[in-house]
Amino acid sequence: MTYELSETPGAGPGTSASGHPSRRPRRNKVPEVTAYFWIIKVLCTTVGETAADLLNEKAGLGLTGVSVLMSALLAVVLVVQFRTTAYRAGVYWLAVALISVVGTLISDNLTDNMGVPLETTTSVFAVLLAVTFVVWYRRERTLSIHSIDTTGREAYYWLAVLFTFALGTAGGDLVSERMDLGYPLAAVLFALAIAAVAIAHFALGLDAVWSFWIAYVLTRPLGASIGDYLSQPGGDGGLGLGTVVTSGLFLAVILGLVVYLAVTRKDVTDPARVTRRAA
């Protein structure tokens, strides 16, 4: 699926939608939203769930220690991402994988360590995501992922991504606990919800911005349900593959797809297409 997100007319290269020159005009820093995008996104969310569990169990650092470590790694990768001048598949998807782990850990810390109810964390993350979108739009007059070409827009983008992972974790846990669905049925439920969003967008004209970000949030509990089903013991409703095997398997698939995209550049935004969209 490819989404066209709202673009403000008249905002040319090197100029923000408000008419002020951008500080660092660059090529788009994020990939085109294709089938590859959604496949890798779901795989990253699965790894975020299983890797967070694995590190918490095996590293011996405790949930807080693991959170600090992974946040530091994410900060380093984001520095590299911000310093690139265009989309680089390896750096971008490494950042997504790490932000998936960190988003999961943030939600788990609030719930498990601090005892914050899932209803509260879900509501707070939803508000934070909404505030991010409002400020992003007020500052840039666009939420288009086809124009993540300035430092400011990229900062809003990654902040929104972090909150979607945290919101997806908290909301997914809330739904799973309240409905007691079991991992396979939960995965089917979230997959159907994503399909409904796609139908609403393509058939009923649901706004592309809302379609994209709603689907982006929903892929988090979908991936988590798949990861839990594969990794958890049979007595808990899983297949018992364990977090090591599940994480390694999904990381291998992600690596293969990212290498493929880095070589073929099938998900690189065509500047000419962006110009035509903005015209």
Side-chain angles (χ1 to χ4, degrees):
M1 293 186 293
T2 302
Y3 288 83
E4 170 60 40
L5 303 189
S6 302
E7 185 78 65
T8 301
T15 304
S16 69
S18 61
H20 300 293
S22 56
R23 293 180 179 179
R24 280 198 297 164
R26 299 174 296 181
R27 290 176 289 174
N28 198 33
K29 299 288 296 294
V30 303
E32 280 286 312
V33 183
T34 64
Y36 294 110
F37 178 93
W38 291 116
I39 292 171
I40 300 176
K41 170 60 167 59
V42 172
L43 293 174
C44 284
T45 62
T46 303
V47 168
E49 178 73 12
T50 58
D53 292 343
L54 173 62
L55 291 169
N56 189 32
E57 294 169 2
K58 305 294 185 183
L61 299 175
L63 191 57
T64 302
V66 170
S67 301
V68 172
L69 173 62
M70 297 309 296
S71 297
L73 290 175
L74 173 61
V76 172
V77 173
L78 283 179
V79 168
V80 176
Q81 166 68 22
F82 273 81
R83 289 177 65 86
T84 62
T85 58
Y87 163 65
R88 299 288 181 266
V91 178
Y92 174 87
W93 286 112
L94 179 57
V96 172
L98 287 172
I99 213 167
S100 175
V101 176
V102 171
T104 300
L105 290 169
I106 290 173
S107 180
D108 288 348
N109 267 290
L110 289 172
T111 303
D112 299 337
N113 280 356
M114 301 180 184
V116 181
L118 285 169
E119 294 88 347
T120 302
T121 56
T122 301
S123 300
V124 168
F125 289 134
V127 170
L128 289 173
L129 180 59
V131 170
T132 300
F133 286 143
V134 169
V135 176
W136 180 357
Y137 187 79
R138 286 179 64 87
R139 292 293 300 272
E140 301 293 338
R141 308 308 299 175
T142 178
L143 299 177
S144 175
I145 64 165
H146 301 295
S147 59
I148 308 299
D149 52 8
T150 67
T151 301
R153 290 178 180 182
E154 190 172 9
Y156 291 126
Y157 175 85
W158 286 111
L159 188 60
V161 168
L162 174 61
F163 288 142
T164 62
F165 276 110
L167 173 60
T169 300
D173 289 347
L174 177 61
V175 171
S176 298
E177 287 187 10
R178 290 292 179 271
M179 301 181 69
D180 194 23
L181 298 174
Y183 303 129
L185 187 55
V188 171
L189 174 65
F190 290 120
L192 289 175
I194 293 171
V197 173
I199 292 172
H201 171 65
F202 290 114
L204 303 177
L206 178 65
D207 181 75
V209 171
W210 288 108
S211 302
F212 174 82
W213 287 109
I214 292 172
Y216 202 94
V217 170
L218 289 171
T219 55
R220 173 60 188 81
L222 171 63
S225 298
I226 294 171
D228 285 337
Y229 178 61
L230 294 173
S231 63
Q232 295 303 308
D236 295 333
L239 292 180
L241 297 180
T243 54
V244 175
V245 173
T246 304
S247 298
L249 175 64
F250 278 74
L251 282 171
V253 177
I254 292 171
L255 179 60
L257 288 174
V258 170
V259 169
Y260 172 75
L261 292 175
V263 172
T264 62
R265 298 178 60 81
K266 286 182 176 291
D267 61 341
V268 175
T269 301
D270 180 1
R273 291 177 61 194
V274 175
T275 301
R276 288 196 299 271
R277 285 167 175 156

